[in-house]
Amino acid sequence: MTKGRTSLVQRLATPAFLFLLLPGLLAGPASAAETGVVEEVVDGDTLLVRTAGSVGAVTVRLIGIDAPERTHPSLGKEFFSDEAAAHLTTLCRGKTVRLEKDAEETDKYDRLLRYVFLPPPDGRLLNEEMLRAGMARAYTRYPFFRKDAFLAAEGRARREGKGLWKDGGMAEARWLAAGNAAPVKVFPSGGRTFVLAHKGLAKAGVERGDLPREIEGILQLRGELSDTEFTSKARDRGFRPIDPSKEIPTKSGSPGQRALQPVPTVRGTIIPWEDAHRHLSEEIVVEGTIVRTHRAKSVMYLNFHPNWKRYLTLVIFVKDLPLFPGNPEMAYKGKKVRVRGEVKVYKDRLEMVVRSPEDITVVQ
């Protein structure tokens, strides 16, 4: 080896040179930024984003925030949910956004967990922006590195009375008291116990320490179950009808248990939507009130119950929508309908596809 070459190697091996080189070696190859176009806003913390190379839109959950629910299968619609979704829509729908990861890739529902940044020159972080506007709460159940900044943003919104925090939280209290949620009433009773009353049912002898668990339990049943199943399951928790004439007689088995065997269908018979699960692969006519609608990229859903994962969903394909009223969501939501179709299971969910307006009739 020549002297000149030896001196070059020696220079490259100096501590100063290695210090400059080390960060680049540790960083590894640069990765391309994850970007996508926001196709739809599901609610105030969830987006449908079409990323590069994806076959369809992926669901993205904004890290570190919790916006009011408007499509949750058991919680029902919460205060300020429409306003939060509308605010997020104005901020990002149709825009190309940058997605940034934290510690976790996805949540238990397989939604991508991301910080979402608006395109330059704006560049705002949507997660934090929703907190600043009072459209969401900081969600700190799981760790994330922007936690302090997010809590500070929520704190400012609270102090300024924005969105969810309007009038010191009394706006939400008035919304609930106006009948937008069924209350659980608590009455002091003898022996320093309490009576809980909810939707015509009551439970006596509740100890003070058990109140939170009992209240949460009955509200969860109310949100997840149809009226018939709710009454049965509430009885299992010790709730009985306040009016004795509405007591459900029981035979063998657990209290209030219903038979789940298929029931033969007589052609032309109208089936309550709650009993559709008894008629798999049959063409039947069901009747009920549409309480929830949701339009996705390729289909529109009409639900008889907020818990769309458990109960029958009517499905209209977007390509068929021109056959229906100009605004099917408004035409059917809140209306009692009678629908003919075949009951099927798709991805563990009960569905009935409606292909023609002749198969669905508004009866009330």
Side-chain angles (χ1 to χ4, degrees):
M1 183 179 291
T2 65
K3 181 178 179 181
R5 191 155 195 167
T6 302
S7 61
L8 175 61
V9 172
Q10 290 173 339
R11 286 199 302 273
L12 291 178
T14 60
F17 184 84
L18 290 176
F19 178 78
L20 294 173
L21 185 63
L22 186 58
L25 293 173
L26 292 178
S31 58
E34 187 180 16
T35 61
V37 178
V38 177
E39 291 196 344
E40 184 179 344
V41 172
V42 179
D43 56 30
D45 54 32
T46 310
L47 306 171
L48 294 182
V49 180
R50 183 177 293 277
T51 57
S54 63
V55 176
V58 295
T59 304
V60 175
R61 177 66 161 78
L62 303 186
I63 295 172
I65 72 169
D66 184 25
E69 300 286 355
R70 67 170 182 166
T71 59
H72 195 281
S74 61
L75 294 177
K77 190 171 184 175
E78 296 184 319
F79 173 69
F80 230 65
S81 58
D82 287 340
E83 291 85 347
H87 185 71
L88 188 57
T89 297
T90 60
L91 287 173
C92 68
R93 186 170 183 178
K95 296 181 180 179
T96 299
V97 294
R98 179 170 63 86
L99 309 177
E100 182 181 295
K101 302 178 186 179
D102 200 297
E104 301 293 332
E105 174 72 16
T106 60
D107 64 8
K108 64 181 180 180
Y109 302 111
D110 292 325
R111 299 176 297 187
L112 296 182
L113 295 173
R114 297 291 187 271
Y115 299 108
V116 181
F117 295 85
L118 289 172
D122 190 315
R124 284 178 293 171
L125 174 58
L126 286 178
N127 314 51
E128 192 169 4
E129 194 62 28
M130 293 295 288
L131 294 171
R132 286 197 187 106
M135 298 292 170
R137 299 173 174 86
Y139 186 65
T140 59
R141 182 176 180 181
Y142 303 103
F144 59 99
F145 77 88
R146 297 178 186 270
K147 176 181 175 180
D148 291 344
F150 281 18
L151 287 173
E154 179 190 301
R156 286 195 297 273
R158 283 175 178 265
R159 291 191 297 273
E160 295 169 6
K162 292 183 177 179
L164 292 166
W165 321 114
K166 185 178 179 181
D167 198 13
M170 286 303 298
E172 180 175 11
R174 295 187 186 101
W175 182 84
L176 293 169
N180 290 290
V184 178
K185 297 180 180 179
V186 181
F187 301 95
S189 63
R192 296 188 177 181
T193 61
F194 297 84
V195 171
L196 297 184
H198 179 67
K199 300 290 286 186
L201 304 175
K203 181 174 182 177
V206 180
E207 300 287 342
R208 180 184 297 273
D210 293 333
L211 284 174
R213 176 174 58 85
E214 291 293 345
I215 292 172
E216 183 178 359
I218 196 66
L219 288 176
Q220 183 175 357
L221 291 182
R222 177 70 267 172
E224 291 181 349
L225 303 176
S226 66
D227 290 343
T228 303
E229 289 189 299
F230 167 71
T231 302
S232 173
K233 295 295 185 181
R235 181 179 177 127
D236 292 345
R237 292 189 66 95
F239 284 80
R240 304 284 294 276
I242 297 172
D243 182 352
S245 67
K246 296 182 180 179
E247 184 70 73
I248 301 175
T250 59
K251 298 179 182 178
S252 60
S254 61
Q257 187 176 19
R258 294 194 303 160
L260 296 178
Q261 290 79 15
V263 177
T265 303
V266 178
R267 186 166 181 79
T269 301
I270 298 173
I271 308 296
W273 65 267
E274 297 158 294
D275 292 332
H277 64 287
R278 303 171 183 265
H279 302 278
L280 285 178
S281 302
E282 294 182 35
E283 183 179 285
I284 62 173
V285 177
V286 297
E287 185 175 278
T289 301
I290 301 300
V291 300
R292 173 187 177 273
T293 66
H294 175 64
R295 184 164 176 169
K297 182 175 178 60
S298 59
V299 295
M300 188 181 78
Y301 300 104
L302 306 177
N303 299 106
F304 293 108
H305 191 277
N307 192 347
W308 42 268
K309 290 187 176 182
R310 183 181 181 96
Y311 296 109
L312 180 67
T313 293
L314 303 180
V315 177
I316 303 176
F317 290 104
V318 168
K319 63 182 180 62
D320 294 329
L321 284 180
L323 303 174
F324 290 81
N327 189 340
E329 291 96 331
M330 297 300 296
Y332 299 125
K333 187 175 182 180
K335 305 292 179 57
K336 188 175 184 179
V337 299
R338 194 169 293 162
V339 190
R340 179 181 296 277
E342 182 180 352
V343 181
K344 297 183 177 181
V345 174
Y346 177 73
K347 292 186 176 180
D348 296 326
R349 295 195 291 269
L350 209 61
E351 292 187 351
M352 179 183 285
V353 176
V354 184
R355 300 188 181 278
S356 167
E358 296 177 357
D359 294 329
I360 180 169
T361 305
V362 175
V363 295
Q364 186 177 323

